[in-house]
Amino acid sequence: NRREVVKGLGSGGGKDAVPGRHTGRNVSRDRWSGLHGPGGMATEVRPTRHGTIMRAQRYVDGGYTPYETLLERFDDVDVVHRSTRVVQAPLSTCMEPWCAWENVYKFLPQLVDVEPMSEDGKIRRLRLMYRFASTPTIELLASAIYVGTDPKEQLKDILQQEGEGTSAGKRNAEVRWRSVEGFPQAGCVKFTERGRIGNERESELPIPQTETVVELEFTYRMPQVLVEFLGRQPIQLDVEKIVQGVMDGYVELCLKKTNAGQT
């Protein structure tokens, strides 16, 4: 299998990847434009008593293409996106948002529903909505699982070290996941704590801050319908903007948590 790596194009917003309205009239391919289902897009998030995280739905003119109409047909090329950020926050603050999908939805607007699919809760069904330009919105379903060391267990140990003051200030951690069913996708987020920055003796910095390097790698395969009608490159560039926008939102969330903890 080939791998196509898309290098960072700089910061860009992903908020417009799933707009609120579309009719599909700009799509010249009648076979695709006839696949619309009943409309629904994210407007707010609410937890249910079964642990499901779901964004409230509102009607979208023209609807979307349901996942089942994709017939599990995906491209044979692994597309890889990478993004790195340096966050002025400790390792625990940077890692926490990635330790549960119920946290990821806070900075991934395309994620509209998270539902437990196994008794132990380790497998989650992710429901995402993706739209390129004026084409119909596509629903993507993926049953995903964290792989390697449980991120929540890692976070627990890190918080304990910080609480006991035994942290050396230069630590590493990572969160990995992959699909076990549905939309083929996988990811890895690596965290490298650079230690304390600033001078403890400077009055304006009584509490030296910690700097953490966060590196995201996201791999996926495109739905074949997108490849056939649009080609790979436009989708790659669009998803790259989304990835950079997601990372911008993630950094903003980390900084808010850090600032709130210092007040």
Side-chain angles (χ1 to χ4, degrees):
N1 294 330
R2 291 180 293 156
R3 291 166 62 88
E4 295 189 4
V5 179
V6 181
K7 296 183 179 179
L9 302 178
S11 176
K15 294 182 290 185
D16 295 329
V18 186
R21 287 177 62 87
H22 71 81
T23 63
R25 285 193 291 268
N26 293 329
V27 182
S28 61
R29 291 83 172 181
D30 293 336
R31 182 165 66 88
W32 187 12
S33 60
L35 296 178
H36 307 333
M41 277 296 110
T43 54
E44 61 178 308
V45 179
R46 63 175 186 270
T48 70
R49 62 189 181 92
H50 298 295
T52 298
I53 298 297
M54 181 175 61
R55 297 181 193 262
Q57 305 292 296
R58 65 181 172 83
Y59 180 73
V60 176
D61 185 20
Y64 61 88
T65 302
Y67 177 75
E68 56 266 24
T69 65
L70 302 180
L71 304 176
E72 297 285 348
R73 295 176 63 239
F74 294 94
D75 197 18
D76 60 356
V77 175
D78 290 334
V79 182
V80 183
H81 296 269
R82 297 188 177 99
S83 182
T84 300
R85 296 289 190 276
V86 179
V87 187
Q88 306 300 319
L91 177 60
S92 60
T93 300
C94 294
M95 187 176 181
E96 182 180 10
W98 292 98
C99 288
W101 290 107
E102 291 79 4
N103 294 332
V104 175
Y105 74 72
K106 296 176 182 178
F107 53 92
L108 177 57
Q110 287 75 25
L111 180 60
V112 300
D113 191 5
V114 179
E115 181 182 359
M117 296 296 289
S118 61
E119 292 184 2
D120 59 9
K122 291 184 178 181
I123 300 177
R124 289 282 205 267
R125 189 193 73 165
L126 313 179
R127 182 178 180 229
L128 302 103
M129 292 290 188
Y130 173 73
R131 184 189 183 200
F132 178 84
S134 60
T135 61
T137 298
I138 285 183
E139 177 187 47
L140 297 170
L141 299 178
S143 294
I145 187 172
Y146 287 111
V147 296
T149 305
D150 187 327
K152 290 184 178 179
E153 290 299 320
Q154 292 185 68
L155 180 62
K156 181 180 178 180
D157 292 340
I158 290 170
L159 288 170
Q160 183 175 351
Q161 292 173 9
E162 293 178 355
E164 296 174 349
T166 58
S167 168
K170 294 183 179 180
R171 300 168 294 172
N172 301 303
E174 69 176 26
V175 174
R176 292 180 176 272
W177 72 88
R178 65 177 175 84
S179 292
V180 294
E181 185 180 3
F183 171 47
Q185 55 88 35
C188 175
V189 187
K190 296 182 178 179
F191 309 88
T192 304
E193 194 173 61
R194 285 183 173 175
R196 297 181 180 277
I197 61 175
N199 191 329
E200 293 188 43
R201 291 173 291 184
E202 295 180 6
S203 58
E204 66 269 23
L205 287 173
I207 303 177
Q209 297 182 16
T210 301
E211 191 175 74
T212 304
V213 180
V214 182
E215 302 170 271
L216 168 68
E217 180 175 292
F218 175 61
T219 306
Y220 68 100
R221 293 189 175 186
M222 297 179 187
Q224 192 64 38
V225 65
L226 292 180
V227 176
E228 291 174 358
F229 290 130
L230 302 172
R232 293 191 187 97
Q233 187 176 20
I235 306 302
Q236 291 177 8
L237 296 177
D238 188 50
V239 174
E240 175 65 21
K241 292 180 181 179
I242 293 175
V243 169
Q244 299 300 334
V246 166
M247 288 297 282
D248 288 342
Y250 157 72
V251 172
E252 183 179 352
L253 177 64
C254 291
L255 294 179
K256 285 182 179 180
K257 287 179 175 291
T258 300
N259 294 333
Q262 293 178 351
T263 56

